[in-house]
Amino acid sequence: MNYGYLRVAAATHAVKVADVSHNTAEILKMMTEAAKEGVSLLVFPELAVTGYTCNDLFLQNELLDRARAAIDDILAASADLETLVVVGFPFSHRSKLYNCAAVICKGRLLGIVTKRYIPNYAEFYEARYFTPGTGDVVFIDWNGEQKSVPFGGNILFRSETNARFVLGVEICEDVWMPHTPSTEHALAGATVIANASASDEVIGKAEYRRQLILGKSATSVCAYVYCNAGVGESTQDLVFAGHNIIGENGAAVVESGRFANGRITGDVDLEKIESERRKMTTFRTNFKNDHVVVPFVVKERKIDINRRIDPRPFVPAGEAERNRRCEEILNIQSFGLRKRLAHTNCKHAILGISGGLDSTLALLVTRKAFALAELPAENIIAVTMPAFGTTDRTYNNALKLIRGIGATCREINIKEAIMKHFSDIGHDPGLHDVTYENSQARERTQILMDLANAHNGLVIGTGDMSELALGWATYNGDHMSMYGVNCSVPKTLVRHLVRYYADTCGDTGLAAVLTDVLETPVSPELLPPEDGKISQKTEDLIGPYELHDFFLYQMLRFGFAPRKVLFLAESAFAGRYERETILHWLETFYRRFFAQQYKRSCLPDGPKVGSVALSPRGDLRMASDSSARIWLDDLDNCW
């Protein structure tokens, strides 16, 4: 099972201008090599069989005849290969010459796609030789045996063995235009676009080209295989560098270097493409279109997916990008809170501060929001509420943090109130069960709500998205607030936000406190400590947050089935977690996610910061009594 992945490649061969025999031999060699590696789609450059820089030689019958014969040679060589091949060549039809791409599969010429936009400006003079193609399609007799070969622009190639694999083709300049053929192809159902190109190098063009191709793959929600002409083309006036790109919905799967020929191979996720299109109601499929659809058969071979799966999908790689993203998220959180403060005319905010990660981030965000609103920091009422599980470490960090921020500190020990509550409901305080734990959480929330009333302020929620996904919050306890600033920030990202603040705040004392908070084990601190240290560690009870955040992203962002989430997790966390461990916590994730939806159905307001969020008013409309059965059944088959 390939889990929706398709292996594609872009191959720039060592071309010799006008030497068709040499070029064909190079193409055949690369075809054979790619087929052995399980490549299902192989794309060659524009005018690959002749070379792009033939200039007026394109008007010579001998060159055109040899180019047509080269296609026959490629057809013959492809007969036993399970690979769809796209190769550029010049083709004369009804006394006009066209810049074309032949689409070939297992000895059959599936179609000939024409280039629509013929550049004739700056260094390009294609209109001297070539006639622009159109979207129209006619059927031609290729060689007496293949008598109905589609020729034109609006042609799609659909796999009969993989329903997700539908190919559209455009040629070089086509993608640089405002309305591209690939847009039409994608709306007609193409999930993969191939571009046979000959784009020369000038200063700055490579980056622009990269942005163009990846942007096109994003707006068309497709996989895009771009193959460029390379070393060997004439350098009389231009230099070609073989800059090849495989993109997928805005991201680069693999990209070649420049000034060297060769092949890049990547595995694109067509299931992800399908999921994105299904979710985007604005992606309007054109059911009434004039595309000719040509079926083909390529056996789907099992491949070892050669693609890095990011174990931290919510956290950008690279310090510079991570810092930029952290600043952006902090701004979204703080500007969201500033608006809520202004709308309610509240001049105070009330937070419970535990000395843990989430409440620390919430306090930092609140301080930033107050600065934006030009409100004094002392109007932030930060409340520490020690109880049975509070340790000296978290208690002291809470106090230092409040002082470092400049907020007003309130300390309210809730032990006596909880003991009275236990007496009222007849609960044995020696029984450390869920009642023992949740009574503390609800008492703290009651205090915060009442303080908000007393000060005409807002209770700021501290819980993060990972806790909401797992239901790791006390209903009507820490589950409730008046505005939840962390509601769409996953736990794996919370750490980086706090770290970023510590690195950039310019206060060594505050930075030291934040560093110690980062090093403190995640815990609700609702059970008595052991030897003065935290005894209740969250990740020991519900599993590693890095796994749960990974599961959440793959499930909600792309709608992947549990078996695919498991497959991706095994790849992402190879060498860190065994399959059985991942599977155990994945089952925990699905059980808790479905069972705890009722808590998410009544969440307080809070800002969305990323592509995955759990707000019942926005991203996740889900019945509280939805069954997890089919998802758990899928996992049962994975043991």
Side-chain angles (χ1 to χ4, degrees), residues 261-308:
N261 296 331
R263 170 169 56 91
I264 60 170
T265 301
D267 299 327
V268 294
D269 191 344
L270 298 188
E271 185 179 350
K272 182 187 292 185
I273 296 298
E274 182 181 63
S275 173
E276 286 291 279
R277 290 184 176 183
R278 185 169 55 237
K279 183 167 59 176
M280 291 175 61
T281 57
T282 49
F283 191 95
R284 304 283 180 84
T285 301
N286 183 6
F287 288 105
K288 294 181 179 180
N289 63 72
D290 57 356
H291 278 71
V292 172
V293 179
V294 182
F296 67 92
V297 177
V298 170
K299 292 180 182 178
E300 187 175 9
R301 293 158 291 171
K302 187 179 186 307
I303 55 177
D304 294 327
I305 308 301
N306 183 23
R307 180 164 169 172
R308 180 182 180 272

Side-chain angles (χ1 to χ4, degrees), residues 594-605:
F594 277 83
Q596 303 293 312
Q597 171 61 18
Y598 73 98
K599 295 180 181 178
R600 298 187 292 270
S601 291
C602 56
L603 284 178
D605 293 350

Side-chain angles (χ1 to χ4, degrees), residues 230-248:
V231 178
E233 290 286 357
S234 171
T235 58
Q236 182 175 2
D237 292 298
L238 307 175
V239 171
F240 296 84
H243 184 200
N244 297 336
I245 304 167
I246 297 173
E248 177 190 284

